Amino acid sequence: MVDRINIDEESSELEAAEHDDTELVPKRGAVSAVWRFFGFKKTDVECCRAKVVVGGGNTSNLLHHLSRKHVLEYQECMKLRSALSTSAAGNTGNAKEKSSQMSLQDAFARGTLYDRKSKRWNEITNSVTIHQAKDMVPLNTVEKGGFKQMIKTLDPRYKLPSRKYFSQVAIPNLYQQNRCDGQTVRHFAATTDMWSSRTMEPYLSLTVHFISEEWLLQSHCLQTSYFPEDHTGELLAAGLHEALDSWGLSEEKLVAITTDNGANIKKAIELNNWTRLQCFGHRLHLAIERGVKDDRIQRAVGVCKEIVSAFSYSWKKRRDLAIVQNDLGLPKHVLMRRLQDVDVLEAVNKVLSPLQDFTDASSGEKYVSVSYLKPVPSLFNSSILAEEETDTQLTKDVKGNILAYLNDKYSDQVTDDLLDLASLLDPRFRTKYMEKEKVEQVLSRAVEEIMALTRAQDTLSGAAGGAEGAAEAEHVPTPEEKTKKTLASFFKRQKSSSSSSSLSEEDIRRELSIYRPQRWKVMQTH
């Protein structure tokens, strides 16, 4: 206790105090003035070495002890209590006044809505717009009560614009801000397809794929635009032309466009005189459909559909099935049907399971897959769909049907040449999967492509160098620049004495001969 009293009630207590020199400490967080006259050790409240019982923070026993045993201290305590009460009353009044003032200010601030030109209003509106676009939520989300309440709770001063504002102003502005410029793309490939909405409205999509200046593969869906016209080849051709023009993409830079096998889209690409690649995933899907066209398979699939349908729409059947399975440990007889059906499903599963994994691997957007189109038929014939000794006759039939369709290669000569060049540029394949009589032809085309690229690079470098030289000619060095030299100034690039830095055809052919597998194997042996 603070200013502890040394008056003893009994001599026994005094003797005990003489042998107990434990220091008494004040109560932490005490509010009442009476605690200034008492101390405690651990949980015992003491005064003059006499324990005083305190119940639940009640100070009545403490005041009674002071009034009975320590009169002077009691009087001082009462004066302190009176002073503290007066001070507390004054502070309470000031606090109430300040609280009232703050509430008025806060209410005024909360009642003042953000101006539409303010930074804060635009920040919140942009966030809502990005949420609509990125998460593809319906436009009427901003009209729903729960969404409005959430926005009001987050910031009461923000008033949410109407659905019309987002559809006609905010989202179009966001689109223009994020729209890429096709002028900077040197070469690109494209994919296109027709889509139908839930309300069966037709849309034409266009996606481009290209290598950035940082040598990163980029894939951007540019548009999925409403296409209410008839889906004839002529109209699709015009629609694709218009799509490229709207994005500033020159069709001369289009290497190839990938589509499905629809007759109208094939005709559209032919009319535009573009190089077309059939989507391998779509081609594989068609091959599988043809591969499983077997009466035995169709019957087994039909049985499975019946079972799934029966147990999907009847909770009683699902309940009864669970009871029987629990009692007998066996499936219901209708699920087994005939042993023949089970054998058919197992045969089909053995063929299709590896194809599922292959389809997932060939659907990547972060790596190039066109170079696989030549090696894939060989892989299917030698490994994935190769016949095995344990195969049933049905398994062999399905594999044979799928391979027969896939082995019908891309017959168009232009497309085939493109695939050969893509395989050549993949270090894993090179000329391994080409017909021997075509190797020299493909290498010659590669030489032409490389020479064209180096000439184009020289043109760009010359234009950049001319601009740089003009800038240097216009720049007048200051006295500080004349007197101060950097280490880099001693290593400035000297202009080439030749008129062009392009590689010669002989140099390119030499490099390609080293790159070829035969030459590569010889080099590895040394």
Side-chain angles (χ1 to χ4, degrees), residues 52-342:
V52 182
V53 179
V54 179
N58 193 315
T59 59
S60 299
N61 288 348
L62 303 180
L63 287 173
H64 178 71
H65 176 80
L66 287 179
S67 63
R68 188 166 58 89
K69 299 292 184 179
H70 314 291
V71 179
L72 295 178
E73 283 76 6
Y74 174 77
Q75 294 175 353
E76 181 180 354
C77 177
M78 297 306 293
K79 291 180 181 179
L80 287 172
R81 291 186 68 186
S82 178
L84 290 173
S85 298
T86 303
S87 176
N91 292 336
T92 301
N94 294 335
K96 288 183 178 180
E97 183 178 356
K98 290 180 180 179
S99 176
S100 177
Q101 292 175 355
M102 292 299 293
S103 297
L104 289 174
Q105 293 175 0
D106 184 60
F108 180 77
R110 286 174 174 267
T112 305
L113 299 177
Y114 292 123
D115 186 271
R116 286 204 169 198
K117 296 181 180 180
S118 66
K119 179 181 178 182
R120 180 59 177 166
W121 188 89
N122 282 281
E123 287 177 346
I124 301 177
T125 303
N126 289 338
S127 295
V128 175
T129 307
I130 293 173
H131 164 62
Q132 289 182 312
K134 192 173 184 64
D135 298 336
M136 294 187 290
V137 299
L139 290 174
N140 65 353
T141 300
V142 298
E143 296 178 341
K144 295 185 177 180
F147 188 82
K148 287 183 175 181
Q149 182 62 36
M150 179 184 69
I151 295 296
K152 185 177 181 181
T153 302
L154 294 174
D155 196 330
R157 299 181 62 186
Y158 174 75
K159 183 177 181 181
L160 191 66
S162 65
R163 168 183 175 177
K164 184 177 180 181
Y165 176 85
F166 284 102
S167 63
Q168 299 184 7
V169 179
I171 292 181
N173 288 343
L174 181 65
Y175 172 77
Q176 292 298 331
Q177 293 170 8
N178 291 274
R179 182 186 174 97
C180 66
D181 183 12
Q183 300 291 341
T184 59
V185 179
R186 294 186 181 181
H187 302 280
F188 67 95
T191 54
T192 186
D193 200 1
M194 294 296 301
W195 299 88
S196 296
S197 67
R198 291 181 179 178
T199 55
M200 300 307 296
E201 294 175 329
Y203 290 85
L204 178 64
S205 69
L206 177 66
T207 303
V208 295
H209 317 268
F210 59 93
I211 303 294
S212 67
E213 294 293 336
E214 294 78 22
W215 280 91
L216 297 175
L217 181 60
Q218 303 290 324
S219 180
H220 298 288
C221 181
L222 299 183
Q223 64 182 51
T224 301
S225 56
Y226 182 50
F227 198 87
E229 294 85 1
D230 292 338
H231 299 168
T232 63
E234 291 78 8
L235 292 177
L236 287 175
L240 291 172
H241 256 303
E242 181 182 346
L244 290 185
D245 292 340
S246 67
W247 289 92
L249 293 168
S250 173
E251 61 180 293
E252 285 75 18
K253 298 179 180 180
L254 175 62
V255 179
I257 184 168
T258 302
T259 73
D260 59 21
N261 206 32
N264 54 354
I265 194 64
K266 290 173 63 177
K267 183 178 181 181
I269 304 306
E270 182 180 352
L271 290 173
N272 286 339
N273 197 27
W274 295 345
T275 300
R276 172 183 169 271
L277 288 176
Q278 181 185 349
C279 173
F280 180 78
H282 185 254
R283 185 180 183 87
L284 180 59
H285 176 73
L286 294 177
I288 294 173
E289 282 189 340
R290 296 193 178 191
V292 297
K293 281 186 176 180
D294 186 286
D295 292 340
R296 293 167 292 178
I297 298 175
Q298 299 302 319
R299 179 182 178 282
V301 172
V303 169
C304 292
K305 288 182 178 179
E306 290 180 5
I307 295 174
V308 171
S309 176
F311 282 86
S312 296
Y313 296 101
S314 174
W315 66 269
K316 291 183 179 180
K317 290 182 179 180
R318 292 197 300 270
R319 179 199 61 190
D320 295 341
L321 176 64
I323 294 174
V324 173
Q325 288 175 334
N326 183 60
D327 293 344
L328 303 179
L330 295 173
K332 196 174 181 180
H333 182 67
V334 69
L335 295 180
M336 292 296 296
R337 304 293 281 195
R338 294 183 179 87
L339 184 61
Q340 177 187 359
D341 295 337
V342 177

Side-chain angles (χ1 to χ4, degrees), residues 244-503:
L244 290 185
D245 292 340
S246 67
W247 289 92
L249 293 168
S250 173
E251 61 180 293
E252 285 75 18
K253 298 179 180 180
L254 175 62
V255 179
I257 184 168
T258 302
T259 73
D260 59 21
N261 206 32
N264 54 354
I265 194 64
K266 290 173 63 177
K267 183 178 181 181
I269 304 306
E270 182 180 352
L271 290 173
N272 286 339
N273 197 27
W274 295 345
T275 300
R276 172 183 169 271
L277 288 176
Q278 181 185 349
C279 173
F280 180 78
H282 185 254
R283 185 180 183 87
L284 180 59
H285 176 73
L286 294 177
I288 294 173
E289 282 189 340
R290 296 193 178 191
V292 297
K293 281 186 176 180
D294 186 286
D295 292 340
R296 293 167 292 178
I297 298 175
Q298 299 302 319
R299 179 182 178 282
V301 172
V303 169
C304 292
K305 288 182 178 179
E306 290 180 5
I307 295 174
V308 171
S309 176
F311 282 86
S312 296
Y313 296 101
S314 174
W315 66 269
K316 291 183 179 180
K317 290 182 179 180
R318 292 197 300 270
R319 179 199 61 190
D320 295 341
L321 176 64
I323 294 174
V324 173
Q325 288 175 334
N326 183 60
D327 293 344
L328 303 179
L330 295 173
K332 196 174 181 180
H333 182 67
V334 69
L335 295 180
M336 292 296 296
R337 304 293 281 195
R338 294 183 179 87
L339 184 61
Q340 177 187 359
D341 295 337
V342 177
D343 291 341
V344 169
L345 295 177
E346 290 178 347
V348 174
N349 181 67
K350 186 176 182 180
V351 179
L352 300 187
S353 293
L355 295 180
Q356 179 180 359
D357 297 335
F358 182 86
T359 302
D360 294 339
S362 64
S363 302
E365 290 187 353
K366 298 301 182 181
Y367 51 87
V368 175
S369 56
V370 67
S371 59
Y372 290 88
L373 296 186
K374 274 286 187 177
V376 158
S378 176
L379 178 65
F380 277 20
N381 282 277
S382 63
S383 176
I384 296 180
L385 294 178
E387 289 188 4
E388 301 176 3
E389 294 182 0
T390 56
D391 288 347
T392 64
Q393 186 58 47
L394 179 59
T395 301
K396 294 178 181 180
D397 292 343
V398 175
K399 287 183 176 180
N401 292 337
I402 295 176
L403 285 174
Y405 184 83
L406 291 178
N407 287 335
D408 183 16
K409 301 179 182 179
Y410 296 84
S411 57
D412 180 72
Q413 186 61 47
V414 176
T415 303
D416 195 57
D417 290 344
L418 177 63
L419 297 181
D420 282 332
L421 190 59
S423 295
L424 173 67
L425 298 178
D426 194 319
R428 295 166 296 180
F429 309 134
R430 308 186 197 193
T431 60
K432 182 178 180 180
Y433 297 97
M434 296 181 197
E435 294 82 354
K436 292 182 179 180
E437 59 273 12
K438 291 186 62 178
V439 171
E440 291 301 327
Q441 176 187 343
V442 175
L443 291 174
S444 296
R445 182 181 175 187
V447 171
E448 295 176 1
E449 294 280 356
I450 296 173
M451 292 182 66
L453 288 174
T454 55
R455 286 194 295 268
Q457 186 64 38
D458 288 339
T459 302
L460 293 174
S461 299
E468 182 181 354
E472 291 178 355
E474 294 175 1
H475 176 67
V476 179
T478 63
E480 292 77 7
E481 290 175 329
K482 290 180 179 179
T483 58
K484 183 180 180 180
K485 283 191 174 184
T486 62
L487 181 62
S489 65
F490 293 95
F491 296 92
K492 286 187 176 180
R493 183 181 60 183
Q494 301 296 322
K495 292 186 178 295
S496 175
S497 57
S498 62
S499 58
S500 173
S501 61
S502 298
L503 293 172

